[in-house]
Each structure stands twice: as C-alpha cells, then as structure tokens.
Amino acid sequence: MREDRSMRTWPALLSALTVALMVAAGVSSGAALPVATALDGGPGGGPGGGPDGGPGGGSSTAPPADTPVPAVGRAWPVGLRPSVIRGWEPPATTYGRGHRGVDLTAAPGTPVRAVAPGRISFAGRVAGRGVVSVELNGTGAPPLRTTYEPVRATAKKGAEVTAGEVIGVLEPTGSHCPASCLHWGLRRADTYLDPLSLLPPWLLGRGPSRLLPVIGVPESEVRTVP
C-alpha cells in the first residue's frame, strides 16, 4: 500500500519541481514574464483582455504591426498642444518591456476628449483606475480603439461621440507619471500602435498663433483696414 502511494506521489513532485526550475531560469536570465498593466497597455491589462480591447478583448486576427494608421484625429485628448512626457516605446517582444502609448501632461480635473468620432466601447475601472475606450469609426475591421486613463468617465458605454467631445475628466490618482498626466493608447485587435500617428501634421505641429512679418510686398500696397 505504501509503495503504491509513493508511486502516485513521485510524478506530481517531479512536475512541480520542473515548473519551479523553469520559472527560476526565466527570472535569472532577465526574461520578462507575461505580466502587464493597464497603463502600459500590456496584454491582459484590462477586463477580458485589456481596456484597449474592451470587455471580451480584441479579435484573434489583426493586421501586421506596420499597417499604416489613418490620420483621423481632429483634436488632442487634453489641451491644445500638450507636452509629451513619455512617448511610444514598442516592446521588442510580445511580453517585453516598453511603453504601449504616450503620456501627456495635464492637471487633475482636465477635460479629456475623444480624438476622433467613434463609439464608447468601455467606460469603467481597471485595477482601481478609471479607463475609457473609444472604437473609432471608419478605421477598418477590426477597428482602431483609443484608450484614456486615469479618467473618470462622463460618457456611457455604447454612446456615439464626435471628435473633441468630452468623455471624462482626468483623475488625480492612478497615473504612473512623476506628475499628473494622461496615458493615451491605441490598439487594433491585439496589436498596439503609436497613438500620435492618429494626428495629422497640421495638428501635431500646431502651436500658439503669432503674427508674421510681411515680406516681399511693396509698402505702397500694404493697406490699413479702417
């Protein structure tokens, strides 16, 4: 009887020892484990596959990562031309380290706007942080999704929004920046993309208006409007 019990116990012990050795080897070699947070847009970062994908996650099929992103953006998520605290840093591997989005400087309470027309696909909390995702209209199948956090949603899931429409306000806590910031992400199915690629050149380079000197026009032709 004791020999039979030992024969049944040894395979389980060997299996557990093998798993422990594999984990130890991965940690000692510096290999990244498949763990990510919602803020860096990592796989599994939200409900059912991440806030970028919304509940249920993204589609199992996705275009190649180098597929061009249409510049459908018509507004910055916060302010007129916010500073980029940290830019897009795509990971070398699926579970590698990186920054799957951009961080934009903004004060708590700042209105957060949809950058392009679409539909609210998720509005709720992930790991204690407020998250809003917008599925963008006319961006193919599967569609592009933008994600904003930490944001207290003012728009409800399923609502249609226009470019520049307020969808929430920046929360004072939950940011991973040294100072308050908005984390803005972009995803097509399971592929993470640079959200700044949504913005056309005229919006990316827009700064405060300023008067320019009149050059090459004879002084006699410069008229003063009464």
Side-chain angles (χ1 to χ4, degrees):
M1 180 72 68
R2 183 173 298 174
E3 291 183 0
D4 291 344
R5 186 176 301 171
S6 299
M7 293 295 291
R8 291 194 299 268
T9 303
W10 271 107
L13 291 174
L14 288 173
S15 176
L17 180 60
T18 300
V19 172
L21 289 173
M22 290 174 64
V23 171
V27 172
S28 63
S29 64
L33 298 178
V35 177
T37 65
L39 280 172
D40 71 5
D52 287 281
S59 170
S60 58
T61 60
D66 58 354
T67 300
V69 173
V72 295
R74 294 297 177 266
W76 282 90
V78 288
L80 295 177
R81 179 60 174 89
S83 298
V84 178
I85 299 175
R86 185 179 177 187
W88 162 250
E89 301 169 11
T93 62
T94 302
Y95 299 115
R97 295 184 179 277
H99 192 232
R100 298 167 174 86
V102 297
D103 294 335
L104 306 176
T105 181
T110 298
V112 178
R113 296 176 170 83
V115 299
R119 180 184 62 85
I120 304 292
S121 58
F122 180 79
R125 307 197 72 79
V126 177
R129 290 183 295 267
V131 179
V132 179
S133 291
V134 180
E135 187 176 276
L136 303 184
N137 296 339
T139 56
L144 292 170
R145 295 176 188 265
T146 54
T147 299
Y148 313 84
E149 56 181 302
V151 173
R152 177 174 59 82
T154 56
K156 296 184 180 297
K157 178 183 175 181
E160 294 289 335
V161 295
T162 59
E165 183 174 342
V166 175
I167 57 176
V169 295
L170 190 65
E171 294 184 327
T173 59
S175 168
H176 63 175
C177 301
S180 176
C181 75
L182 172 77
H183 181 83
W184 175 31
L186 176 65
R187 180 174 174 178
R188 190 190 293 277
D190 295 327
T191 301
Y192 294 88
L193 304 164
D194 182 0
L196 290 177
S197 60
L198 284 172
L199 303 181
W202 63 266
L203 194 54
L204 279 171
R206 186 172 69 181
S209 301
R210 58 194 180 96
L211 296 176
L212 298 176
V214 178
I215 300 175
V217 179
E219 188 174 340
S220 59
E221 294 184 15
V222 178
R223 299 179 180 177
T224 303
V225 177

